[in-house]
Amino acid sequence: MKIKYSIFVAAALALSSLSSCEKFLDRPGLTNLNDDNAWTTEDNVRLYANKYYTDFFVGYGVGFDNGDALLAGYTFSDDLLFQGNQSQFTRAVPVSQIWSYTNIRSINIMIDRVQNRMSSVLSEEAFNHWMGIGRFFRAFRYSQLVQSYGDVPYYDRPVDIDETDELYKKRTPRNEVMDHVYDDLSFALENVRLNDGVQNVNRYVVAGFVSRLAMNEGSWQKYYYKNNERAKKFFELALRAAEMVIASGKYDIVTDYRSQFTSENLAGNKDMILYRQYDDAISVKHTILSLHNLAENITYGPTTDLIKSYICNDGKVWQNSDLAPASDFTLDSLVKTRDSRFEATFHTDPSIRNRASYLYITKFLPREVQNRVASGGAPGVPYSGANNTTDAPVLRYAEVLLNWIETKAELAALGGVAVSQADIDRSINKIRLRPLAAEAIAKGVKMTAPMKLGELPQDAERDVQVSSLIWEIRRERRMEMTFEHSRLADLKRWSKLQYMDTQQNPDLLSGGWVNFLKELPGDLKTGVSVVKLNGQIEVFNAADPDSPAKMNGFYRYVENADRLPFLNQANVNPYLSPVGRNQIAEYEAKGYVLDQTQGWPQN
């Protein structure tokens, strides 16, 4: 039975007892606790801080709110295509769009109150811990803002409503903001408790996220801003944080791939640094499985580009693999010849329920449900509506290992210590040695051969601007974290959004391989086309008796349209978001100037 109380339940209770930030500060009469009397115990500080968990650690969302959830919230990348028109990059300044500072203000209030009202209430250790928690969350939010907008106004204290100059201050340069973030993260790494109870943020949770946030900034600095000195600063912080997690010995790779995403109880799972708990008994549930339960029709699915990127289980790319036949992209062949994560991520038969790709995503669906639906049964109540209770990974040990090895490789490219085979064994090869599910073994799935530094795959499709080692590390990350939080963010930090240009890469407009005559003859109709391995497109023609036999290739809906141009366009910067015209006008009305984001027009 699941644990019935968690940090995420505590967050809800915190809101009911302390109310929201605004109510807590501005409407003290609604509660027994207010800004004058709440900052007296550590328990009160904990309740206040718990409300940030659901903001920063979304997991599968709650109920029908899944906009930032795994899979549902990350459908814009080169991993996914839509039936018909593709998702577009912003190409014009919106009327109303701007950053939110709600969390920044609330977190600054927490830091201010702990610092100025609780130094005599808390022990030195507790004081430093809660200052570290506050600064960790502040750094987390500013990292998000900076990666979206570049320069943003920086505040390290609560600003009163009558401080007009502060409220309408100019955007702080990105580097200055991120120097503050660096200091906050460094402080948290030194002062947050090693253990603060089950499912509470501790130093290892902080370190895991620092390995992500600092690596992201290092990459932005290296590839987008071309500043290797600042890149090294953040890469070194990321490496130190990742090594702290690894050296702890608290985490391991012990669970088969799909079970990490489909478990009803992740408590005690060593693959998890942090997870989000769901439980019907306390009405904390989600809908991710209901949207992707193999019975629902889905209009987005995996691209041919993603499918081709999976390494063969002999450790080679499909073009030169010794497996026979690695160039066979039927699902039965892919299951047996590709890395085990392929079988764990997708249904093993073409499915008309996925109208974009005919390859259904089942990474987040329990195997027993997949088998039941595939056999003609119903998903069942727990897997329909807002009734899902599978726990959600928030931070996995595998990600930290991948952050670590990528950061080591980036530092080596900047003159640091070279990556060794022992480093690869400690990270990528450790992940490849994870257990296989019994169901996968029964289908012929095998473990992927270890990566060897002296025998890296010779990939003809490799981006020539990227070394073979970094290219393969990025491939490993793509396979490991498919449909999680990172792919679009990765392309941006690597300055590689051109990978999403459908004219440069037509594999973004087709999906899984289907032999229609053999596998889905009833779905041969107008609108169906396939793409051969040589790129030739065959469109189904009902008037041609030979046409059905030609419908054997990567499925492509005939009305799929190219993504609108977004690179090298005047007054368009796909890497950074513009602020809205209304916000610029609001500044002007107060006598101030809000500069537009780099690359976007001011007026």
Side-chain angles (χ1 to χ4, degrees), residues 376-420:
V381 172
Y383 311 104
S384 59
N387 295 306
N388 309 164
T389 56
T390 48
D391 287 351
V394 170
L395 180 63
R396 299 191 291 123
Y397 185 51
E399 180 191 345
V400 174
L401 291 178
L402 292 174
N403 295 345
W404 179 78
I405 192 62
E406 180 179 340
T407 300
K408 288 212 75 170
E410 292 289 7
L411 283 170
L414 294 174
V417 178
V419 171
S420 68

Side-chain angles (χ1 to χ4, degrees), residues 122 170 364 491 555:
L122 301 173
K170 286 184 173 293
F364 304 92
L491 295 183
Y555 168 69

Side-chain angles (χ1 to χ4, degrees), residues 258 293-295 343 346-349 362 365-379 383 437-440 442-443:
R258 195 195 293 193
N293 61 13
L294 203 57
E343 184 276 338
F346 303 108
H347 188 50
T348 50
D349 293 305
T362 52
L365 187 67
R367 288 181 180 274
E368 63 271 19
V369 183
Q370 177 184 355
N371 295 337
R372 183 166 66 245
V373 176
S375 300
Y383 311 104
E439 297 91 336
K443 296 177 185 177

Side-chain angles (χ1 to χ4, degrees), residues 159-176:
V159 178
D160 292 333
I161 196 169
D162 59 354
E163 294 184 86
T164 309
D165 287 347
E166 282 295 295
L167 291 174
Y168 293 93
K169 70 190 296 185
K170 286 184 173 293
R171 298 168 76 152
T172 308
R174 178 186 183 124
N175 287 354
E176 183 179 334

Side-chain angles (χ1 to χ4, degrees), residues 155-260:
Y155 300 97
D156 62 0
R157 63 176 180 83
V159 178
D160 292 333
I161 196 169
D162 59 354
E163 294 184 86
T164 309
D165 287 347
E166 282 295 295
L167 291 174
Y168 293 93
K169 70 190 296 185
K170 286 184 173 293
R171 298 168 76 152
T172 308
R174 178 186 183 124
N175 287 354
E176 183 179 334
V177 175
M178 290 307 296
D179 283 340
H180 290 298
V181 168
Y182 182 96
D183 291 341
D184 279 349
L185 294 178
S186 298
F187 182 90
L189 279 177
E190 297 296 328
N191 290 283
V192 169
R193 288 171 178 151
L194 293 172
N195 186 347
D196 193 39
V198 177
Q199 280 289 85
N200 287 324
V201 172
N202 58 37
R203 195 176 303 178
Y204 302 115
V205 172
V206 169
F209 280 108
V210 172
S211 77
R212 177 197 297 179
L213 300 175
M215 179 188 70
N216 285 349
E217 182 61 14
S219 301
W220 273 91
Q221 291 294 337
K222 178 180 178 181
Y223 293 107
Y224 186 84
Y225 294 105
K226 311 296 185 183
N227 189 328
N228 287 345
E229 182 180 353
R230 290 192 63 82
K232 286 178 65 176
K233 172 179 177 175
F234 283 92
F235 281 143
E236 287 168 354
L237 177 63
L239 189 67
R240 177 161 61 94
E243 287 177 342
M244 184 182 297
V245 176
I246 296 169
S248 74
K250 294 171 64 68
Y251 310 100
D252 205 351
I253 305 295
V254 295
T255 309
D256 74 87
Y257 185 71
R258 195 195 293 193
S259 292
Q260 297 176 90

Side-chain angles (χ1 to χ4, degrees), residues 51-70:
K51 65 184 177 181
Y52 302 124
Y53 282 66
T54 51
D55 293 334
F56 290 97
F57 312 138
V58 175
Y60 294 142
V62 176
F64 291 100
D65 183 4
N66 53 36
D68 294 319
L70 299 177

